[in-house]
Amino acid sequence: MGYTIKEVAEKLNISQYTLRYYDKEGLIPYLKREKNGIRRYTDEDIDWINMIISLRNIDMPITKIHEYITLYLQGDKTIEQRRELIQKYKIFIENKIKDTVVSLKITTKKLCEYDPKVADILLENDLTFKEDYKWVTKKSLID
């Protein structure tokens, strides 16, 4: 029987339009339709969609996701190619995290400058500063 597009959209918190788009782009390889054309999703389809969502969350373009899925469907002979593709995006994520941490530090520093009275509280609750107190301290803000 399977799930309707509405049920899957609600379950995964994505739009029905997005599910239709993924289908149109060939990203859900085993998706079945009823005789009247209505999509019926299985648990395996939902696993594919979760993988697509994860890859999109790291800003992987649809074309690269399609490439990954095409490689996956070719079986074990493409494991190394798939690993290389994912490795590139792992590096991308790591760089994105580093950039985000820098932005967080700059933002926290600015907040401390606006209100030195609460600087200690901000710094104590900001995990990015646990090893990096030396460049923003309450004393340097008062001086």
Side-chain angles (χ1 to χ4, degrees):
M1 182 112 188
Y3 304 95
T4 66
I5 193 168
K6 181 180 179 183
E7 291 169 331
V8 173
E10 289 172 358
K11 182 175 185 153
L12 300 178
N13 197 28
I14 60 174
S15 71
Q16 292 179 35
Y17 171 82
T18 299
L19 289 169
R20 288 186 194 98
Y21 177 72
Y22 290 165
D23 180 29
K24 181 182 136 230
E25 292 298 316
L27 303 179
I28 314 170
Y30 303 114
L31 183 60
K32 302 284 189 240
R33 292 178 183 257
E34 295 179 348
K35 290 181 182 179
N36 59 4
I38 294 177
R39 295 168 180 88
R40 284 294 174 181
Y41 296 84
T42 64
D43 289 329
E44 184 179 4
D45 295 327
I46 292 172
D47 289 342
W48 277 101
I49 296 163
N50 276 322
M51 182 194 66
I52 295 164
I53 291 168
S54 295
L55 296 173
R56 287 298 296 142
N57 285 341
I58 62 169
D59 295 328
M60 184 181 281
I62 293 293
T63 55
K64 290 293 183 185
I65 295 172
H66 193 273
E67 179 183 338
Y68 178 83
I69 290 171
T70 300
L71 290 169
Y72 182 88
L73 294 173
Q74 293 174 25
D76 288 349
K77 65 183 179 183
T78 65
I79 286 175
E80 185 57 29
Q81 291 167 284
R82 286 182 273 152
R83 190 197 66 72
E84 287 174 15
L85 184 62
I86 296 300
Q87 179 64 29
K88 286 179 187 175
Y89 283 92
K90 179 183 180 288
I91 292 167
F92 175 81
I93 294 168
E94 290 169 347
N95 290 332
K96 195 172 182 179
I97 289 169
K98 287 176 188 173
D99 292 344
T100 302
V101 168
V102 168
S103 296
L104 179 60
K105 287 179 179 183
I106 291 167
T107 303
T108 302
K109 179 181 177 190
K110 185 52 73 178
L111 285 171
C112 291
E113 289 170 1
Y114 284 126
D115 196 351
K117 294 174 188 166
V118 296
D120 286 339
I121 295 168
L122 286 171
L123 294 173
E124 286 174 20
N125 292 313
D126 189 334
L127 297 177
T128 63
F129 283 99
K130 291 293 183 200
E131 298 173 8
D132 200 16
Y133 271 86
K134 59 186 170 278
W135 72 283
V136 177
T137 63
K138 189 173 181 182
K139 185 179 184 307
S140 68
L141 294 172
I142 297 170
D143 292 341

Coordinates of all heavy atoms in Angstrom, one line a residue, residues 11-47:
K11 N 5.6 13.7 7.4 CA 6.6 12.9 8.2 C 8.0 13.5 8.1 O 8.7 13.5 9.1 CB 6.6 11.5 7.7 CG 7.4 10.5 8.4 CD 7.3 9.1 7.9 CE 8.1 8.2 8.7 NZ 7.6 6.8 8.7
L12 N 8.4 14.0 7.0 CA 9.7 14.5 6.8 C 9.8 16.0 6.9 O 10.9 16.6 6.7 CB 10.3 14.0 5.4 CG 10.4 12.5 5.3 CD1 10.9 12.2 3.9 CD2 11.2 11.9 6.3
N13 N 8.7 16.6 7.1 CA 8.7 18.1 7.2 C 9.3 18.8 6.0 O 10.1 19.7 6.1 CB 9.4 18.6 8.5 CG 9.0 20.0 8.9 OD1 7.9 20.4 8.5 ND2 9.9 20.7 9.5
I14 N 8.9 18.3 4.8 CA 9.2 19.0 3.5 C 7.9 19.1 2.7 O 6.9 18.5 3.0 CB 10.3 18.2 2.8 CG1 9.8 16.8 2.4 CG2 11.6 18.1 3.5 CD1 10.8 16.0 1.5
S15 N 8.0 19.9 1.7 CA 6.8 20.2 0.9 C 6.5 19.0 -0.1 O 7.4 18.3 -0.5 CB 6.9 21.5 0.2 OG 7.9 21.4 -0.9
Q16 N 5.3 18.9 -0.5 CA 4.9 18.0 -1.5 C 5.5 18.4 -2.8 O 5.9 17.5 -3.6 CB 3.4 18.0 -1.7 CG 2.7 17.4 -0.5 CD 1.1 17.4 -0.6 OE1 0.6 17.2 -1.7 NE2 0.4 17.6 0.5
Y17 N 5.7 19.7 -3.0 CA 6.4 20.2 -4.2 C 7.8 19.6 -4.3 O 8.3 19.2 -5.4 CB 6.4 21.7 -4.3 CG 7.3 22.2 -5.4 CD1 6.8 22.3 -6.7 CD2 8.6 22.6 -5.1 CE1 7.6 22.8 -7.7 CE2 9.4 23.1 -6.1 CZ 8.9 23.2 -7.4 OH 9.7 23.6 -8.4
T18 N 8.5 19.7 -3.2 CA 9.9 19.2 -3.1 C 9.9 17.7 -3.4 O 10.8 17.2 -4.2 CB 10.5 19.4 -1.7 OG1 10.5 20.8 -1.5 CG2 11.9 18.9 -1.6
L19 N 9.0 16.9 -2.9 CA 8.9 15.5 -3.2 C 8.7 15.2 -4.7 O 9.3 14.4 -5.3 CB 7.8 14.8 -2.4 CG 8.1 14.7 -0.9 CD1 6.9 14.2 -0.1 CD2 9.3 13.7 -0.7
R20 N 7.8 16.0 -5.3 CA 7.5 15.9 -6.7 C 8.8 16.2 -7.5 O 9.1 15.6 -8.5 CB 6.4 16.8 -7.2 CG 5.0 16.3 -6.7 CD 3.9 17.2 -7.3 NE 2.7 16.9 -6.6 CZ 2.2 17.6 -5.6 NH1 2.8 18.7 -5.2 NH2 1.1 17.3 -5.0
Y21 N 9.5 17.3 -7.1 CA 10.7 17.7 -7.8 C 11.8 16.6 -7.7 O 12.4 16.3 -8.7 CB 11.3 19.0 -7.1 CG 12.6 19.5 -7.7 CD1 12.6 20.0 -9.0 CD2 13.7 19.4 -7.0 CE1 13.8 20.4 -9.5 CE2 15.0 19.8 -7.5 CZ 15.0 20.3 -8.8 OH 16.2 20.7 -9.3
Y22 N 12.0 16.0 -6.5 CA 13.0 14.9 -6.4 C 12.6 13.8 -7.3 O 13.5 13.2 -7.9 CB 13.0 14.4 -4.9 CG 13.7 15.4 -3.9 CD1 13.5 15.2 -2.6 CD2 14.4 16.5 -4.4 CE1 14.1 16.1 -1.7 CE2 15.0 17.4 -3.5 CZ 14.8 17.1 -2.1 OH 15.4 18.0 -1.2
D23 N 11.3 13.5 -7.4 CA 10.9 12.4 -8.3 C 11.2 12.8 -9.8 O 11.7 12.0 -10.5 CB 9.4 12.1 -8.1 CG 8.8 11.0 -9.0 OD1 9.6 10.1 -9.3 OD2 7.6 11.1 -9.3
K24 N 10.8 14.0 -10.1 CA 11.0 14.5 -11.5 C 12.5 14.4 -11.9 O 12.9 14.1 -13.0 CB 10.5 15.9 -11.6 CG 10.7 16.5 -13.0 CD 10.1 17.9 -13.0 CE 11.1 18.7 -13.8 NZ 11.6 19.9 -13.3
E25 N 13.4 14.7 -10.9 CA 14.8 14.7 -11.2 C 15.4 13.3 -11.1 O 16.6 13.1 -11.3 CB 15.6 15.6 -10.1 CG 15.2 17.1 -10.3 CD 15.7 17.6 -11.7 OE1 16.8 17.3 -12.1 OE2 14.9 18.3 -12.3
G26 N 14.6 12.3 -10.8 CA 15.1 10.9 -10.8 C 15.9 10.5 -9.5 O 16.7 9.6 -9.6
L27 N 15.6 11.2 -8.4 CA 16.4 11.0 -7.2 C 15.8 9.9 -6.3 O 16.4 9.6 -5.3 CB 16.5 12.3 -6.4 CG 17.2 13.5 -7.2 CD1 17.2 14.7 -6.3 CD2 18.5 13.1 -7.7
I28 N 14.6 9.5 -6.6 CA 13.9 8.4 -5.8 C 13.7 7.2 -6.8 O 12.7 7.1 -7.4 CB 12.6 8.9 -5.2 CG1 12.7 10.3 -4.6 CG2 12.1 7.9 -4.2 CD1 11.4 10.9 -4.2
P29 N 14.8 6.4 -6.9 CA 14.8 5.5 -8.0 C 13.8 4.4 -8.0 O 13.4 3.9 -9.1 CB 16.2 4.9 -7.9 CG 16.7 5.1 -6.6 CD 16.0 6.4 -6.1
Y30 N 13.3 4.0 -6.9 CA 12.3 2.9 -6.8 C 10.9 3.3 -6.6 O 10.0 2.4 -6.3 CB 12.8 1.9 -5.8 CG 14.2 1.3 -6.0 CD1 15.2 1.6 -5.1 CD2 14.5 0.6 -7.1 CE1 16.5 1.2 -5.3 CE2 15.8 0.1 -7.3 CZ 16.8 0.4 -6.4 OH 18.1 0.0 -6.6
L31 N 10.6 4.6 -6.7 CA 9.3 5.1 -6.4 C 8.2 4.5 -7.3 O 8.4 4.5 -8.6 CB 9.2 6.6 -6.5 CG 7.9 7.3 -6.2 CD1 7.5 7.0 -4.7 CD2 8.1 8.8 -6.4
K32 N 7.2 3.9 -6.8 CA 6.1 3.3 -7.6 C 4.9 4.2 -7.7 O 4.7 5.1 -6.8 CB 5.7 2.0 -6.9 CG 6.8 1.0 -6.8 CD 7.1 0.3 -8.1 CE 8.1 -0.8 -7.8 NZ 9.4 -0.7 -8.5
R33 N 4.2 4.0 -8.7 CA 2.9 4.8 -8.9 C 1.7 3.8 -9.1 O 1.9 2.7 -9.6 CB 3.0 5.7 -10.1 CG 3.9 6.8 -10.0 CD 4.0 7.6 -11.3 NE 4.9 8.7 -11.2 CZ 4.6 10.0 -11.0 NH1 3.4 10.3 -10.9 NH2 5.6 10.9 -11.0
E34 N 0.6 4.2 -8.6 CA -0.6 3.4 -8.8 C -1.0 3.6 -10.3 O -0.5 4.4 -11.0 CB -1.7 3.9 -7.9 CG -1.4 3.6 -6.4 CD -2.5 4.1 -5.5 OE1 -3.4 4.8 -5.9 OE2 -2.4 3.8 -4.3
K35 N -2.0 2.8 -10.7 CA -2.5 2.9 -12.1 C -3.0 4.3 -12.5 O -2.8 4.7 -13.6 CB -3.6 1.9 -12.3 CG -3.1 0.4 -12.3 CD -4.3 -0.5 -12.5 CE -3.7 -2.0 -12.4 NZ -4.8 -3.0 -12.7
N36 N -3.5 5.0 -11.5 CA -4.0 6.4 -11.8 C -2.9 7.4 -11.7 O -3.1 8.6 -11.7 CB -5.1 6.7 -10.9 CG -4.8 6.6 -9.4 OD1 -3.6 6.4 -9.0 ND2 -5.8 6.8 -8.5
G37 N -1.6 7.0 -11.5 CA -0.5 7.9 -11.4 C -0.1 8.4 -10.1 O 0.9 9.2 -9.9
I38 N -0.8 8.1 -9.0 CA -0.6 8.6 -7.7 C 0.7 7.9 -7.1 O 0.8 6.6 -7.2 CB -1.8 8.3 -6.8 CG1 -2.9 9.2 -7.2 CG2 -1.4 8.7 -5.3 CD1 -4.2 9.1 -6.5
R39 N 1.6 8.6 -6.6 CA 2.8 8.1 -6.0 C 2.5 7.4 -4.7 O 1.7 7.9 -3.9 CB 3.8 9.2 -5.8 CG 4.3 9.9 -7.0 CD 5.1 11.2 -6.5 NE 5.6 12.0 -7.7 CZ 4.9 12.9 -8.3 NH1 3.6 13.2 -8.0 NH2 5.4 13.5 -9.4
R40 N 3.2 6.2 -4.5 CA 3.1 5.5 -3.3 C 4.5 5.2 -2.8 O 5.3 4.6 -3.5 CB 2.4 4.2 -3.5 CG 0.9 4.3 -3.6 CD 0.3 4.8 -2.3 NE -1.1 5.0 -2.4 CZ -1.9 5.5 -1.5 NH1 -1.4 5.7 -0.3 NH2 -3.1 5.7 -1.7
Y41 N 4.8 5.8 -1.6 CA 6.2 5.8 -1.1 C 6.3 4.6 -0.1 O 5.4 4.4 0.7 CB 6.5 7.1 -0.3 CG 6.5 8.3 -1.2 CD1 5.3 9.0 -1.6 CD2 7.7 8.7 -1.8 CE1 5.4 10.1 -2.4 CE2 7.7 9.9 -2.6 CZ 6.6 10.5 -2.9 OH 6.6 11.6 -3.8
T42 N 7.4 3.9 -0.2 CA 7.7 2.9 0.8 C 8.7 3.4 1.8 O 9.3 4.5 1.7 CB 8.4 1.7 0.1 OG1 9.6 2.1 -0.5 CG2 7.5 1.1 -1.1
D43 N 9.0 2.6 2.8 CA 10.0 2.9 3.8 C 11.4 3.1 3.1 O 12.2 4.0 3.5 CB 10.1 1.9 4.9 CG 8.9 1.9 5.8 OD1 8.3 3.0 6.0 OD2 8.5 0.8 6.4
E44 N 11.7 2.3 2.1 CA 12.9 2.4 1.4 C 13.0 3.8 0.6 O 14.0 4.4 0.6 CB 13.1 1.3 0.4 CG 14.4 1.3 -0.4 CD 14.6 0.2 -1.4 OE1 13.7 -0.6 -1.6 OE2 15.7 0.1 -1.9
D45 N 11.9 4.2 0.1 CA 11.8 5.5 -0.6 C 12.1 6.6 0.4 O 12.8 7.6 0.1 CB 10.4 5.8 -1.2 CG 10.1 4.8 -2.4 OD1 11.0 4.4 -3.1 OD2 8.9 4.5 -2.5
I46 N 11.5 6.5 1.6 CA 11.7 7.5 2.7 C 13.2 7.5 3.1 O 13.8 8.6 3.3 CB 10.8 7.2 3.9 CG1 9.3 7.5 3.4 CG2 11.2 8.1 5.1 CD1 8.3 7.1 4.4
D47 N 13.9 6.4 3.1 CA 15.3 6.3 3.4 C 16.1 7.1 2.3 O 17.0 7.9 2.6 CB 15.8 4.9 3.5 CG 15.3 4.2 4.7 OD1 14.9 4.8 5.7 OD2 15.4 2.9 4.7

